[in-house]
């Protein structure tokens, strides 16, 4: 399908369910897609960070994109991450996911390499030149270890290199600068500004953002769809109540013992445990070398679900 | 061939010559291998950071390892980088390079992902379990954004998980701790400690390190071979003179204009320009999106070569 | 005067006007205080980062607090920064500023030292034990190089150690967690959550924050007072228009040439240039070793003022 | 006394013994000075990081410098740290310590503030202009959060702004660049390059460094004096044996439980515990808010002393 311009609404980064021996569980994945589409989301983002794309082999990434594109059948747009270190490797992923039918690609700045801002701009220009579909920039400094500044993003938007931004930096000032620039600059049109934050969606939409890419949307897509609708209707009171309920639910990311595992493993483990407890996926395992949640930690995920009315 | 235990000597990270349209230039690559072997090195390390592995596609990585292993024909050990974000992707590279005949693999801690120290240990254990050849840890905090501490490295050495360490951190205190631990701990045997520094090789060897993996060794393998020999003979005076000559030559990494390109692009561009000027490779181009050196900057590389007696 | 519980409204960090030979210009300082009080602010914060406290000698800090407390005469609360490296030095400043009449003190976590989270908590407990007035925590990771997490802040709030938080981290997720915790936790009462951001005040207040500490409030106190009032009245449409006007004005922080000075020097230089151009202070000089704005850069500040209707 | 040009040898950063109620213990301090001078050191560095200068109030700093200068009576040079955030505050400390008789001052780049490299240079120029005695730069990125590059240091050396460098960065490549530049540049004369590392002194001196400023030198001044002498005599074999003994002793810095205290608190606590166990100081307490070592951890310090033949 053609990507809406700008892309708006709730576009969750789709978790990648795995079997106990760490292969992609396609049956669970299609159930998860049904759960999200049925929950009222506006698009899907596969092979992002919450999808554990950094862990998946190329073959596994292929299974994911084939499964999701095939199952969605053009009902709503599918964006695919092309997460890799530098331009030539990223372009390989662009070819793979667009051959498989992705409607848009999501690329970070180079990482591992030490890359000058001028080279970051060059990277996005080369990726766009090699992509048959729109390119979204993915700002995730905690993983990429550089920040996409508002000025660079808006420049690339004005050149038509970028169709949108997924901002998972949590840096509110720069985000608003992009939102304002996208609205006020006459040379920027149809640019989609999406927040990757689970807990400040009402604020982002009130500022004028176009949508949200919430990892927690895997667990409660209806909640984010409602939150988005309230914001669009200008019903800020109900939006805040819904957002605060989701903030409470988001507490699940902290169930993992910080002495034993990373915060990212805890968050991904919690999302998968919640999907397992809600009956959406068959197995909550995460990719290697992530430490799994202990049983008591999974129980605490259940309490978060219960507290949010989801069990 | 079987990897020496421990691996010792000069093991340069082999640059990857590219054609003007950014494909692997196999003719230049074999000339570079001849240049290095003829220069007296003790092993080769392909697909590392100085090889621009982060930029090369999997197909290009395949061409590199096939070309080098085929050309070397078992004369000396070939280590291959398996640089990727997390365990399953790294294991894919392990399979590829060992199928192609690599004698050892070199792996970093996970990057892009946020990984707990306990998960880093698990990562190396899984990589070793999946590798038919010895595994060397690659400590490069400037790229990986975490540090391999001496305690973790020595623990993994004592378990037989790691066969060696390539330390490109530039952190001298932790390096010496590993060197001492490798010598003094009874449960650690045959462990190879290699410095990735170009400019403190005499110091590292004086401390008891086993060898060096110098990017600049591409340009002047004879120099590093001499330096290694002087150190092994305990001729610290001549070693220091040779090392200081190489320190002067190393100044070439700074020729690139910092306002226009990254330090890494400058260094890789300088090494390749030097190899081009010395007639070893046909074209000094670096991989995208790195900004190339300007002609005046290439001229300055030539002056560094002349100053070190290499032109 | 007694500090309101919680402290609410607009509490600008008061710039410290200097004479051409870098002494505190008390005449300009009292004019600035009049400008702020007349602009409708709810409190004053002296000796913070925007006050260049890190540059001022202890004697100069003394002149500032004496001048402001004396001039304000209890009309509205005066908070004073006690910015220093570690607990004993911070306690010295607590004594100085409270002897001079400060109504509250604002302290960061230790910096320069490498301090464990448990030691950060101990620091705030000791500062509170030694302070006759309420203690506010100042979260400014870009200067302090550690982050005050929501859990720690709320724990210290529940113990009565902290009376409030000035959050200048720009990290929206953690900020909302503190706001929600301050409202929902039964053991936390009267705790004031203030944002240090100039450009997301409407969002912060919509989430339930108590007030704002905007550096740009020196330049346009009326603007922030209006913005605060619109938010309190629930007039989010007018609030957004006012906030966006202030976002435009805030662009002045970028006038300084990044090749020649730091971003902080540029921002402080711009605020002082604006106060100078508006006739509030006699001289726009900043403290050593900050590079001053060039005359063309000061002109650009004037254009930002004109664009916002302030000249 | 007049500072030697260049300053050479062992110049330990003198610990600041405290009483149980956290005041400077001048009796213990003079015993510590006697212990160091008797141990054969070549100079003393008071009010540095290992002296807990970041914690000491200005009054306490005054007691330290008065006590040490008075007790030393010109027998050997006394350097004093002037650790503070920015230029005017640093200049205040310069006045205090030179009024008290310091023979040289040691200053970091500005911290807490965000300072451009051009402003860092300006800072050192202003400090030197305001100092009646030679100025040494202190490179400690772990505390200051910026790095003094070789080029800047050598430029300031050539201008006569800096008399030396204390490099506690642990970054070996940049250190060697300074050492070589200080020897080879005709415009740099009498510049003293000192390493702050405890564990790579032999390597630093072999490269051509002038001396060492070892925190562990408080505990074992004789050891460092011997190590320095062996290196100067070119007896690298005995130097290495002595250095490795000191590396073993240095292991004491890790006795503190990382779950409970910072690494810096552990190291300072261990040095003071060792001085206490050796009978040099009366009380091992460290400044607030540092967590003290537990009794079992102090016992482990004793084992390190015993292992190095010091108990």
């Amino acid at each position: 399908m053609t990507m809406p311009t700008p892309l708006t609404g709730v576009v969750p980064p789709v978790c990648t369910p795995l079997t106990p021996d760490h292969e992609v569980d396609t049956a669970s994945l299609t159930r998860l897609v049904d759960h999200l589409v049925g929950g009222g989301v506006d698009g899907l983002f596969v092979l992002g960070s919450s999808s554990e794309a950094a862990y998946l082999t190329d073959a596994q990434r292929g299974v994911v994109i084939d499964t999701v594109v095939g199952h969605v059948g053009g009902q709503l747009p599918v964006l695919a991450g092309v997460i890799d270190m530098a331009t030539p490797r990223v372009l390989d992923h662009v070819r793979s996911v667009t051959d498989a039918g992705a409607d848009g690609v999501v690329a970070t700045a180079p990482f591992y390499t030490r890359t000058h801002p001028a080279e970051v701009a060059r990277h996005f220009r080369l990726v766009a030149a090699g992509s048959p579909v729109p390119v979204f920039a993915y700002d995730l400094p905690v993983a990429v270890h550089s920040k996409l500044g508002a000025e660079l993003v808006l420049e690339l938007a004005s050149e038509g290199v970028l169709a949108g931004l997924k901002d998972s930096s949590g840096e509110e000032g720069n985000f608003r600068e992009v939102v304002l620039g996208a609205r006020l600059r006459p040379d920027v049109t149809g640019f989609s500004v999406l927040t990757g934050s689970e807990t400040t969606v009402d604020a982002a939409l009130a500022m004028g953002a176009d949508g949200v890419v919430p990892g927690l949307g895997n667990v409660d897509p209806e909640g984010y769809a409602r939150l988005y609708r309230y914001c669009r209707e200008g019903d800020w009171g109900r939006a805040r109540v819904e957002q605060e309920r989701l903030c409470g639910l988001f507490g699940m990311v902290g169930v993992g013992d910080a002495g034993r595992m990373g915060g990212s493993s805890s968050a991904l483990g919690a999302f998968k445990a919640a999907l397992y407890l809600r009956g959406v996926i068959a197995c909550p395992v995460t990719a290697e070398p992530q430490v799994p949640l202990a049983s008591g930690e999974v129980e605490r995920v259940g309490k978060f679900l219960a507290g949010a009315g989801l069990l």
Side-chain angles (χ1 to χ4, degrees), chain A:
Chain A
M1 72 170 295
T2 308
M3 181 72 59
T5 306
L7 178 65
T8 60
V10 179
V11 186
V14 184
C15 284
T16 305
L18 299 178
T19 62
D21 57 346
H22 296 99
E23 289 306 325
V24 178
D25 175 352
T26 54
S28 288
L29 181 54
T30 54
R31 274 200 306 276
L32 175 53
V33 168
D34 289 339
H35 167 69
L36 297 171
V37 175
V41 305
D42 302 287
L44 297 175
F45 170 33
V46 298
L47 302 178
S49 300
S50 299
S51 319
E52 298 175 273
Y55 302 87
L56 301 177
T57 64
D58 284 353
Q60 291 173 325
R61 291 189 184 193
V63 171
V64 168
I65 183 77
D66 285 344
T67 302
V68 172
V69 167
H71 192 68
V72 164
Q75 298 170 75
L76 75 189
V78 176
L79 281 76
V82 289
I83 313 296
D84 216 314
M85 292 169 254
T87 318
R89 294 183 65 81
V90 169
L91 283 169
D92 257 12
H93 294 294
V94 168
R95 271 182 290 274
S96 299
V97 298
T98 57
D99 283 356
D103 302 304
V105 296
V106 185
T108 68
F111 52 90
Y112 186 88
T113 64
R114 283 149 280 160
T115 303
H116 191 274
E119 295 170 328
V120 172
R122 185 179 170 99
H123 167 75
F124 281 115
R125 289 186 188 112
L126 288 164
V127 170
S131 174
V133 300
V135 176
F136 291 72
Y138 191 174
D139 190 29
L140 186 64
V142 77
V144 173
H145 298 282
S146 70
K147 167 77 190 159
L148 296 178
E151 214 163 322
L152 173 63
V153 169
L154 291 167
E155 171 61 25
L156 293 174
S158 81
E159 293 176 16
V161 164
L162 293 180
L165 170 72
K166 187 210 163 182
D167 186 332
S168 295
S169 69
E171 296 178 27
E172 59 198 5
N174 192 74
F175 182 76
R176 186 164 213 158
E177 208 177 326
V178 176
V179 167
L180 282 176
R183 197 173 74 221
L184 298 177
R185 281 179 61 155
D187 56 344
V188 177
T189 53
F191 187 74
S192 174
V193 189
L194 309 171
T195 178
S197 163
E198 276 91 353
T199 60
T200 58
V201 179
D202 53 349
L205 294 172
M207 286 177 196
D210 298 287
V212 56
V213 187
L216 187 65
N218 284 278
V219 178
D220 191 5
E222 289 88 352
Y224 281 97
R226 269 195 304 272
L227 170 55
Y228 181 74
R229 200 170 59 242
Y230 295 149
C231 291
R232 279 291 164 261
E233 294 167 351
D235 189 347
W236 300 110
R238 293 179 81 184
R240 178 166 151 180
V241 171
E242 184 65 27
Q243 174 68 81
E244 293 183 354
R245 189 186 61 82
L246 290 163
C247 287
L249 183 64
F250 188 67
M252 73 169 61
V253 302
V255 296
D257 173 3
R260 205 170 52 83
M261 68 171 70
S264 169
S265 302
S266 173
L268 294 176
F271 292 164
K272 285 188 155 181
L275 287 170
Y276 170 74
L277 293 171
R278 296 199 74 192
V280 180
I281 68 175
C283 167
V285 74
T286 52
E288 297 285 11
Q290 295 173 95
V291 168
L293 294 182
S295 62
E297 294 163 344
V298 172
E299 265 176 53
R300 288 188 55 211
V301 171
K303 287 185 183 161
F304 278 101
L305 289 174
L310 296 177
L311 261 200

